[in-house]
Amino acid sequence: MSSIAVLPRKRGRPAKDEGDFRATREALLNAGVAALTEKGFSATGIDEILKSVGVPKGSFYHFFANKEAFGAELIARYDEYFVRKLDRYYLDETKAPLDRIDAFFADAERGMKRFGFRRGCLVGNLGQEMGTLPEPFRAQLTQVLLGWQRRTATVLEQARRKGEIRKATDCAEWAAFLWTGWEGAVLRAKLERKAAPLQMFARLFRQSIGA
Amino acid sequence: MSSIAVLPRKRGRPAKDEGDFRATREALLNAGVAALTEKGFSATGIDEILKSVGVPKGSFYHFFANKEAFGAELIARYDEYFVRKLDRYYLDETKAPLDRIDAFFADAERGMKRFGFRRGCLVGNLGQEMGTLPEPFRAQLTQVLLGWQRRTATVLEQARRKGEIRKATDCAEWAAFLWTGWEGAVLRAKLERKAAPLQMFARLFRQSIGA
């Protein structure tokens, strides 16, 4: 009886409710990204996400098929956010290529400071706990990192053409070196709650690759 | 009444039982280290550790005060094991200093391969999830990494004196660069389930620091 009473209401949901649904879903995604950058996937409970957004307990499946689907969407959303950030710095032609990379490092440092070094990289967090995550996350996280590396390789290629780095540099390989090391630096900054590991890595990376 | 019944038995526990107690405690520590290198602290349940060793559920507190005390002991034990490994390679004077570091990298790669790249570094895992761990772990994990770095700085100092690396190298800083990047490489190898990130990092680190 109750399902009959509910159905017409659902079909007839006015535009305002549809807007509320989207807004709530957005709020859940934002809260999810924040939680995953801070605590990773396993330690994040669906209930705390719902509570932080003020959504009634138990209504999660109204918004997402399950925790795995939610996680996959959080990875995709973080990637979109991060690629926008990278492009903002990497495509800034008013700066020399290596200075663009340093500008991104400085932005990331400000970002970590803003949250007291509690939040790190969502991809690094989930990469570390991959042993306990749904298997499809592995390919998704790997592809995300490869995407960031491709963008970095393009900037390094420009640095190579401008003579900022050695002519013989394998830019794709050095882009992998950067992202591998940077994830380690973010981990270390989170552990020590200070910017020093980020600054050290940025400085020595530039020293390493410099002409 | 039951405590009175139990006390004399405890006091009178024969040597064999004492040996069993120690052996079981050792087995729990070994199982704990394995679980933490694979899944980290939060995702590891005490019950699964007990089960893997064949110890009755609920008897954990007979061996350790609580999960935090167990974790602190696992970090210390992993550090001991790791320092022995580092010393085996770093103190091998039959090899040139940079070759000793490469020999350690190769050992670590074999170790990860042996467990299908499922197990990473206990310190990296716990560093990543520090946001949800008991606060005293932060200083303990940081000190462990600083200890590994000091040992690495000593080898780099020898490399500097032998002219393998630039005279102006700040060996302590480069040791921090190595450990920061290496933790990232281990994370990446675990994510991608392959040795390539470890090999790439070892090669480019040596290229970076080389004279």
Side-chain angles (χ1 to χ4, degrees), chain A residues 38-39 42-43 124-125 127-132 135 137-138 141-142 145-146 149 166 173-174 176-177 179-181 183-185 187-188 190-193 197 200-201 203-205 207-208, chain B residues 38-39 42-43 124-125 127-132 135 137-138 141-142 145-146 149 166 173-174 176-177 179-181 183-185 187-188 190-193 197 200-201 203-205 207-208:
Chain A
E38 191 161 337
K39 305 193 294 179
S42 307
N125 285 354
Q128 194 68 285
E129 58 177 332
M130 189 58 230
T132 59
E135 193 52 36
F137 285 11
R138 193 186 301 280
L141 292 165
T142 302
L145 282 167
L146 290 177
Q149 280 177 203
R166 290 176 296 275
E173 191 169 57
W174 279 84
F177 187 60
W179 280 105
T180 299
E183 288 294 348
L187 184 168
R188 191 75 179 260
K190 217 169 43 158
L191 170 60
E192 300 188 24
R193 271 201 186 143
M200 176 277 294
F201 182 83
R203 195 171 58 251
L204 292 200
F205 178 80
Q207 203 174 307
S208 299
Chain B
E38 191 160 337
K39 305 194 294 179
S42 307
N125 285 353
Q128 194 68 283
E129 59 177 331
M130 189 57 230
T132 59
E135 193 53 34
F137 285 12
R138 192 185 302 280
L141 293 165
T142 302
L145 282 167
L146 290 177
Q149 280 176 202
R166 290 176 296 275
E173 191 169 56
W174 278 85
F177 187 60
W179 280 105
T180 299
E183 288 293 348
L187 184 167
R188 191 74 180 262
K190 217 168 42 158
L191 170 60
E192 299 189 23
R193 272 203 185 141
M200 177 276 293
F201 182 83
R203 195 170 58 249
L204 266 59
F205 177 80
Q207 203 173 308
S208 299

Side-chain angles (χ1 to χ4, degrees), chain A residues 138-171:
Chain A
R138 193 186 301 280
Q140 193 184 0
L141 292 165
T142 302
Q143 285 308 314
V144 167
L145 282 167
L146 290 177
W148 300 351
Q149 280 177 203
R150 270 195 303 274
R151 283 176 157 77
T152 304
T154 301
V155 184
L156 292 178
E157 191 52 51
Q158 295 170 349
R160 202 178 68 81
R161 281 202 299 268
K162 294 200 174 182
E164 283 195 290
I165 62 180
R166 290 176 296 275
K167 273 275 167 287
T169 304
D170 179 332
C171 293

Side-chain angles (χ1 to χ4, degrees), chain B:
Chain B
M1 285 302 279
S2 65
S3 65
I4 291 171
V6 164
L7 270 173
R9 219 193 105 235
K10 267 196 172 166
R11 280 205 303 259
R13 190 162 51 194
K16 182 187 170 300
D17 281 7
E18 190 60 47
D20 284 354
F21 179 84
R22 278 171 208 257
T24 303
R25 200 170 179 285
E26 278 300 297
L28 289 171
L29 287 167
N30 289 336
V33 166
L36 262 54
T37 57
E38 191 160 337
K39 305 194 294 179
F41 191 74
S42 307
T44 294
I46 293 300
D47 284 352
E48 64 182 293
I49 301 279
L50 291 166
K51 199 177 165 187
S52 74
V53 174
V55 171
K57 220 173 152 170
S59 72
F60 178 76
Y61 299 99
H62 191 52
F63 297 97
F64 303 97
N66 49 46
K67 194 184 174 188
E68 177 176 338
F70 185 51
E73 216 164 318
L74 294 178
I75 296 169
R77 169 154 298 224
Y78 186 78
D79 182 34
E80 276 171 35
Y81 150 81
F82 210 86
V83 160
R84 271 199 307 276
K85 184 200 285 279
L86 283 181
D87 284 350
R88 188 161 66 245
Y89 292 104
Y90 284 0
L91 305 179
D92 174 8
E93 303 215 338
T94 67
K95 283 196 172 70
L98 290 187
D99 287 344
R100 296 179 211 164
I101 294 178
D102 279 343
F104 156 70
F105 283 151
D107 175 289
E109 181 187 326
R110 284 191 300 275
M112 288 197 74
K113 256 189 197 140
R114 189 159 54 241
F115 296 104
F117 296 99
R118 285 188 315 279
R119 295 189 188 169
C121 174
L122 186 147
V123 173
N125 285 353
L126 271 61
Q128 194 68 283
E129 59 177 331
M130 189 57 230
T132 59
L133 299 186
E135 193 53 34
F137 285 12
R138 192 185 302 280
Q140 193 184 1
L141 293 165
T142 302
Q143 285 309 314
V144 167
L145 282 167
L146 290 177
W148 301 352
Q149 280 176 202
R150 270 194 303 275
R151 284 176 156 77
T152 304
T154 301
V155 184
L156 292 179
E157 191 51 50
Q158 295 170 348
R160 202 178 68 81
R161 281 203 298 271
K162 294 202 175 181
E164 285 195 290
I165 62 180
R166 290 176 296 275
K167 273 275 166 286
T169 304
D170 179 331
C171 293
E173 191 169 56
W174 278 85
F177 187 60
L178 183 150
W179 280 105
T180 299
W182 183 250
E183 288 293 348
V186 170
L187 184 167
R188 191 74 180 262
K190 217 168 42 158
L191 170 60
E192 299 189 23
R193 272 203 185 141
K194 56 185 189 193
L198 304 175
Q199 296 163 349
M200 177 276 293
F201 182 83
R203 195 170 58 249
L204 266 59
F205 177 80
R206 182 150 185 168
Q207 203 173 308
S208 299
I209 203 173

